[in-house]
Amino acid sequence: MPSHSPHLSSHFSATGPWDQILPIPLLPTHLQRTAPIEGSDAFWMTEAWLESMRNHGLTRPNPAVGCVLVNAAGKEISRGITQPFPGLHAEKVAMDRVIDLPSLIGATAYVTLEPCSHIGRNPPCADLLAKSPIRRIVIARTDPNPLVQGQGIEKLRASGKQVTLGVLSHEVSAWNLGFLVKHTLKRPLVALKWAQTLDGQLADDTMKSHWISGPVSRAYTHWLRQNYDLILVGAQTVLKDFPRLDVRDCNLPHQGEPLPILFDPKGLLLNPSEEIQTLLKNRTFLPHRKHVIVTTQTNLQANPNSWVHDLENVILLAQPGQKLIEELMQIIQGPEVTQALGRDVQSIMIEGGSKTLSHWISAGYGDIFHTFIAPVLTGGDKNRVTARKLLSQASRLHTLASAQLESDILIEMISQEIKERIFS
Ligand code: AOF
Ligand code: ZN
């Protein structure tokens, strides 16, 4: 049976519309968005979603939801977004802004997530809408939080409201993927990101990777970072690139700086030369940011005076072995990382290098892939991502979005599990 892939419309990346992500001078004309027909459900849902993007990164672990109320004549009454954590929900904000209450008679509410049905920090949004004179509720997708899970929609229907579900659902699902995966699969979302040459190398055989992909691809990489709670890089990559691991070069707002996890099973970062230390301090370990270094007890004992002890970094101990990646998954959900982040981890992006990525893939992880392919051939073979599988055993991914970014091609793919559990 042919399987239906949830491919997003062509002006969308997996993490939002291109015109919201790239600064105008970097936005290729073919990625400029054409607005949906004015007044259509898609038009208003896009408005609700664009509204929700403004508080992206401020609401976690709560998803950033958008709500637009439209009167019976098709004119906007008010709009609202989820307030910074632990703030009000979008529907409540939109309702509180209604000045002319009779304008709600026969109105439509556009909400990017199923209105909640539970009494939490907020009273149930479904009740608020149910007892209003609003006639119709249009919802992008359901809320998998076990406290809600369809009950919001049931409440609305039981109160006589007309409910339309599924407008822009794939785009909104992709946007809220961390929240959705955490509640659906009870674990954080694992994203893998890399840029490679046409012949599959992440760096040439002398380890040089500057610059495989072009400036537009790199701007998108920075945007991606703000979508994830954590970004993980291997120590070898840190010592090769001295990455800043921050969000820059893409459009504002930059409200979701990820917590960097530096994965160092060999203890390479613990005792570098003075010169390397200076580079690390000036570029990677910037004083205003926390970092988590994951290394072993043995490495720490061998370097009791390591400079990293002075950096206020959180250091966790792991015993890398065969179950290395499973152990890392436990560590990122454990108390130290939760405390350093300030909340439960819903998502992590693995940024490289090729060995680190291959470890995760071989261990069976990879919910979403952001892969850039640049038109360059190195002919090398030392820096490849590999799952070490035969074609007959290999799992097939589904392309969610693709784009040409100058001369690079970006392909964003989701696993079969994510397709079935989140996008169906
Ligand atoms: C909505 N509208 O704007 C958002 C919702 O602890 P609480 O009361 O803030 O509830 C958090 C849960 O509510 C969250 O996990 C998710 O299921 C839902 N988020 N619901 O009706 C909103 N942000
Ligand atoms: Zn709510």
Side-chain angles (χ1 to χ4, degrees), residues 90 188 191 228 252 379:
Y228 296 104
L252 296 170

Side-chain angles (χ1 to χ4, degrees), residues 62-63 65 82 89-91 115-116 118 120-122 125 143 145 179:
N62 208 354
V65 174
T82 313
H89 285 184
E91 300 88 323
C116 65
H118 66 290
R121 275 174 293 266
N122 297 267
C125 293
D143 182 348
N145 183 342
F179 166 80

